Amino acid sequence: MNEIIRVNNLTKEFKEVKAVDNLSFSVREGEVYGFLGQNGAGKSTTIRMLLTLIKPTDGTIEIFGMNLQQHRKEILKQIGAIIERPDLYNYLTALENIQLFAKLSGIKIPFTHLKEQLAKVGLADRMHSKVKTYSQGMKQRLGLACALIHDPKLLILDEPTNGLDPQGIAEMRNMIIRLSKEQGKTLVVSSHLLSEMEIVADSMLIINKGKKVVEGNVKELLNPEYSIVELEADTETALNFIRNSEWNKYLKSVANHIIRLEFNKDKIPDFNKELVAHDISVESIRRIHSLEDYFLTQTKD
Amino acid sequence: MKKIFLAFLMVWIIVSFASAQEVKELLKKVKNQYDLVNDYVADGKMKTNVLFIKAPIANVKVYYKKPDKIKIINEKGISFVPKGTININLNNVLGLDNYEAIDGGKEKINGTECRVVKIFPLSDEENISRATLYIDETRLVTLKSVISTKEHGTYELLLTFKNYIAFGLPDKVELSFNTKDYKLPKGISLDFDNGADKDKADKLKNKKGKVEIVYSNYSINKGVSDTVFTPK
Amino acid sequence: MFFTILRIELFKIFKRPRTYISFGAIAVIVILVQLALKVNGKDFIELYTDSQSDTFEIPYNKILNGYFVCVAVLHMILIHVPLLVALIAGDMISGEANLGTLRLLGSKPITRTELVLAKFSASTIYVILLLVWMAVLALFGSILLFGQGDLVVFKEMDWHQMNSYDVLWRFFAAFIFASLALTTIAAMAMMFSAFSENSLGPIVATVCVVIVFTIVQQLKVPLFEHTINPWSFTTHMLGWKGFFYVEKAADGTTIDGSIERPMALVRSGLILLGYIGLFMSITVWHFRKKDILN
């Protein structure tokens, strides 16, 4: 599959704060790409950089194989987005809002298509009502209809289930799956809820404090056979051993005297044996059972 | 010496008396000329030349009715008519009953030799405190007058005669009069400053205003209603 | 694309109730001033002519015609209209930032320069429509109520009188100049709007700047007269009045179709254009590099 988005060494600094720090990732065509992190992790900043709302301090973004800075208009014509909450004009009706979105997309869209689109999201009978009279769920559906009105190849949804009731969340989830599986659209969906990502995403990127923690296929990341192993030991000696052995290829990170590796759980006894054989006193070896645990351990302060 | 002085005084009194009589005669002749006109209506083009008034040439109608009613009306537009225009009617002076007149000699006005007559009203009720008339003795018309009033200062009047001289009516009058300072308190008008006011500040010291009326189409002795003169 | 955005911006402006507050406010003020002058017009004229009423006959009824009332209305109203302009222009960018819709606009295939210029053009059209509305009410309304006639304008140091047939073009020119002046306010309000994330800030800031400079101008203190006032935009915003100042010939009568010191008006117009250029350049420059965070 082709890469739709390629981000290299993306950095954004706000005065003294690094909101995004040297982030690289790629999104392939047709997949739902989950973007996971706690509030303030840098998800929204990254997404805004993808939409040219924020200028990166450093790094490059390529979308549809083109540099975003140089081909901004061309790229944005093929992107639909909802950022945090649907951006709608409350004093306009649903039909007026979708008309406005259609015109701004730079593509000529027949008027009948606008009505059809509203009907698709169940707003046919309320299209002439002002948006300020809508419930949050209706706004979200209208926002999605507006974001899709110009049939974009790439859809970017930032926290799309925020503020929705359980039924709204389920509707949104189904919509995302349908857009991907039935219409072949590529979606970048950010959330701070791993459970949502587990259901809808094909690939996932977890970030914390602006840095990439892990990126990969969700199934692989969630595979219980494929575990994150946390080793607590004499850090210096243990690292020295790992880096000079075949275990080096599994090394993921070192933080707070904890060394993290990623390999099949069956290899844990062999790993333990080798550590002992090399006179490394092990305090503990712990397997993290699910991505949720991993996510929490990685992202807690 | 005493005799010589008395003789000189006697001669002076006799000469003065004779000359006073002479100028009163002259004034009477001029008044007779004026008395030919009971009333008139005339069209006029009025130019106002007052430092603080910028007005276009106005088409006015001048109404007169004996003995002293005069009114200038701009029927279509706006005109700021000086209140002293009452003085363009010389009947104010010529119609005085109780006055002293002195011969002031001769002087040329616009090339015409005129007799200068100084008039002093003797009644305290008159608004005029003194007047000087420059009379063309040949045509029996006044070419210039300087009238000092008790309330509104001095008015100077220059008259030009041509087509209506038979009735003693001028073709053109130029009235000069004193004006007051004009300056609004700051902030009332909030003007656009185009730099013009800086030059005006100095010129304001010259307080003479002038109004010029060029007459045409006199309609004489056809009757004028009194209502024209009532203030609106 | 520019005209598409412009149409959208105008559509948004005229779909908002607050837009019509301005039109309503103008209608109310104009009608109130007209009524006041209908009842107490003579007193109003006496404010200017009282010191000369001994020397001249003042034709109060004739002075109080539709043209005079229109100038009086404009004199009273144009000081307050910047507030109404700021109400819309000050909200153009920051209002959308506040609503969140700026993110929508910023992520669409339009350049930020196009967006700012379209918003500015929409504000300008709003200003023009506001003035057309004012013209209809103040000029034609006053003519209906008071009739036509020669126009007399009372300045601090002199009276300017124009023939009735020499007046209408002056009103049109004055309205065009007033559009330029109010567009300067719109440009300034938009500049503040680009720097702000809420609607109220730019509106208040714009009104404060106008009030401060107007006070400085009215103080007529030599220190300001030679430093700030010649360059203050509030000085030049009064340029519309310049079209009602006539030139006089050597014989003291006015020249039909003349303007007293026309070059001063040209200079004021150019200074206002300069301000618009400056304010818009700052707005575009800042907005292009602005991170849209809200």
Side-chain angles (χ1 to χ4, degrees), chain B residues 163-175:
Chain B
N163 297 324
Y164 300 92
I165 193 150
F167 293 95
L169 295 174
D171 289 68
K172 185 171 129 183
V173 298
E174 288 172 71
L175 177 75

Side-chain angles (χ1 to χ4, degrees), chain A residues 10 23 36 77 140 142 206 223 236 260 276:
Chain A
L10 194 64
L23 189 66
L36 195 65
K77 270 186 186 175
Q140 202 73 2
L142 174 61
I206 299 176
N223 186 351
E236 202 176 318
R260 291 192 183 88
V276 175

Side-chain angles (χ1 to χ4, degrees), chain B residues 4 12 17 20 36-37 56 68 96 99 118 125 177 203 221:
Chain B
I4 294 169
W12 185 80
F17 180 74
L36 293 174
V37 179
D68 59 356
L96 291 170
Y99 66 94
K118 295 184 177 176
E125 288 167 18
F177 53 95
K203 290 181 189 165
N221 295 338

Side-chain angles (χ1 to χ4, degrees), chain C residues 5 12 32 44 57 71 74 103 123 147 164 169 190 197 201 210 216 246 282:
Chain C
I5 312 167
K12 287 190 292 191
L32 282 177
F44 180 72
E57 306 272 2
V71 172
L74 294 183
R103 295 182 306 207
S123 306
S164 59
W169 75 269
M190 266 196 71
E197 303 290 331
V210 173
V216 166
V246 276
I282 294 172

Side-chain angles (χ1 to χ4, degrees), chain B residues 54-56 194 196 200, chain C residues 160-162 166 170 242 244-250 252-262:
Chain B
K54 288 184 166 185
N194 60 7
K200 286 170 197 161
Chain C
H160 293 245
Q161 187 189 330
M162 286 138 269
D166 185 33
R170 294 178 190 274
F244 299 104
Y245 302 159
V246 276
E247 197 54 87
K248 64 179 180 182
T253 57
T254 56
I255 304 161
D256 277 345
S258 69
I259 294 172
E260 185 185 65
R261 308 227 173 168

Side-chain angles (χ1 to χ4, degrees), chain A residues 72-254:
Chain A
R72 183 179 172 274
K73 269 192 173 183
E74 224 172 320
I75 292 168
L76 289 177
K77 270 186 186 175
Q78 302 176 66
I79 298 181
I82 299 180
I83 308 146
E84 288 177 15
R85 58 192 154 89
D87 302 322
L88 299 164
Y89 293 96
N90 286 333
Y91 52 90
L92 301 180
T93 66
L95 190 60
E96 287 166 345
N97 264 288
I98 204 166
Q99 258 182 305
L100 198 143
F101 272 75
K103 281 179 185 162
L104 283 172
S105 69
I107 297 164
K108 281 195 173 172
I109 299 160
F111 187 65
T112 49
H113 183 65
L114 304 180
K115 289 186 167 181
E116 282 167 18
Q117 193 70 23
L118 288 175
K120 268 187 200 169
V121 294
L123 294 171
D125 53 340
R126 292 289 304 278
M127 67 170 76
H128 296 296
S129 304
K130 290 220 164 117
V131 172
K132 63 183 169 196
T133 64
Y134 278 25
S135 68
Q136 190 58 35
M138 288 165 81
K139 283 182 186 171
Q140 202 73 2
R141 278 185 277 147
L142 174 61
L144 201 59
C146 291
L148 289 167
I149 191 63
H150 57 297
D151 195 23
K153 284 184 189 165
L154 172 63
L155 194 61
I156 297 175
L157 306 174
D158 187 11
E159 303 274 3
T161 54
N162 256 11
L164 294 184
D165 58 16
Q167 194 193 338
I169 292 172
E171 273 177 19
M172 183 56 74
R173 191 190 296 149
N174 293 336
M175 188 85 81
I176 290 168
I177 294 168
R178 218 169 40 239
L179 286 167
S180 165
K181 305 302 173 236
E182 293 174 13
Q183 295 182 31
K185 296 199 183 298
T186 308
L187 287 100
V188 174
V189 183
S190 86
S191 177
H192 61 279
L193 298 172
L194 182 66
S195 53
E196 282 297 319
M197 291 294 102
E198 283 182 357
I199 297 167
V200 298
D202 300 310
S203 299
M204 193 170 353
L205 166 73
I206 299 176
I207 63 167
N208 188 40
K209 292 179 183 167
K211 286 185 176 171
K212 176 157 86 176
V213 177
V214 67
E215 183 190 13
N217 183 286
V218 172
K219 278 184 188 147
E220 284 174 12
L221 289 173
L222 291 174
N223 186 351
E225 300 296 313
Y226 199 72
S227 304
I228 303 292
V229 176
E230 281 190 356
L231 166 67
E232 274 188 83
D234 174 2
T235 317
E236 202 176 318
T237 329
L239 261 179
N240 193 32
F241 158 69
I242 291 167
R243 282 188 173 137
N244 293 306
S245 69
E246 61 169 313
W247 299 102
N248 188 39
K249 63 186 173 195
Y250 303 121
L251 182 65
K252 295 307 287 182
S253 66
V254 182

Side-chain angles (χ1 to χ4, degrees), chain A residues 12 48 72 87 89 96, chain C residues 15 96 103 110 291 293:
Chain A
K12 178 65 189 179
R48 280 159 198 255
R72 183 179 172 274
D87 302 322
Y89 293 96
E96 287 166 345
Chain C
K15 274 282 174 178
E96 299 237 23
R103 295 182 306 207
I110 49 177
D291 288 334
L293 300 172

Side-chain angles (χ1 to χ4, degrees), chain C residues 30 34 66-67 70 131-148 168 171-172 175:
Chain C
V30 170
Q34 285 169 338
Y67 294 145
C70 184
L131 279 163
V132 168
W133 174 240
M134 205 188 292
V136 169
L137 286 175
L139 181 58
F140 299 110
S142 300
I143 289 173
L144 269 179
L145 277 169
F146 295 86
Q148 284 165 285
L168 266 182
F171 275 109
F172 288 118
F175 276 115

